[in-house]
Structure formats: structure tokens, C-alpha cells
Amino acid sequence: MGSSKGFWIFLEAGAIGLAFLAIAAGYYLFPEGGIRAWSIFLALAVLHLAESPIGLAIGRAKNLSIPRTLIKTWLFGFTWWLPLKKGILKK
């Protein structure tokens, strides 16, 4: 299952869904809005930003452009760079 391209694409879709869920949960927990409502999403964003060095190293090894590598790492996190490293995804 972990070596299936479909499995990793499903997880990538889940990463995008998780971002929307984090925003919705933030507004549910903090209906007054503001930075507190965005806190869950921002924590998720910081986590994905922290993965940038790993994503860049793997993207460089696979001859991918820096912008493409960063955007995919920031959007999908490990659900993009891990299968890329394993050769399950090509780009």
C-alpha cells in the first residue's frame, strides 16, 4: 500500500483537505476570528515550511526546480517528498 502512487496522491489530497479543516476548526473554536482562528492552520503551515530543507535536498537530487520543489513541499509536506525520494512519484 505504501508503495502505491494512488495511495500517496490520496494522502496529498488529504493534506489539502487538512488545511481547509484546520481553517474551519479555527473558526469553530474561535468564532470571533482574528489570529486565533487561523492558529491551527498557521501551525500546519509552519510545519510544512520546516520541511523545506528536506524537500529541497530531495528535489535537487531529482533535478527539480527550486520553485516547484518548495511549492509542493509547502502544499503537501512529506506526502510529496517521501514518495519522490522512494521513486514512487516522478515529480
Side-chain angles (χ1 to χ4, degrees), residues 5-85:
K5 182 177 179 180
F7 171 76
W8 289 102
I9 291 173
F10 175 76
L11 288 183
E12 287 178 355
I16 299 298
L18 182 61
F20 285 109
L21 183 63
I23 294 168
Y27 274 95
Y28 177 77
L29 294 171
F30 307 105
E32 67 279 0
I35 192 73
R36 290 176 67 191
W38 286 89
S39 61
I40 300 169
F41 173 78
L42 291 173
L44 186 61
V46 166
L47 179 66
H48 282 217
L49 287 171
E51 294 179 89
S52 295
I54 297 168
L56 281 170
I58 294 167
R60 192 175 306 114
K62 299 290 183 174
N63 295 317
L64 299 177
S65 71
I66 291 172
R68 177 188 199 102
T69 300
L70 287 175
I71 290 169
K72 288 199 170 201
T73 299
W74 296 340
L75 286 175
F76 305 119
F78 83 93
T79 64
W80 176 72
W81 58 256
L82 185 59
L84 181 70
K85 179 180 178 180

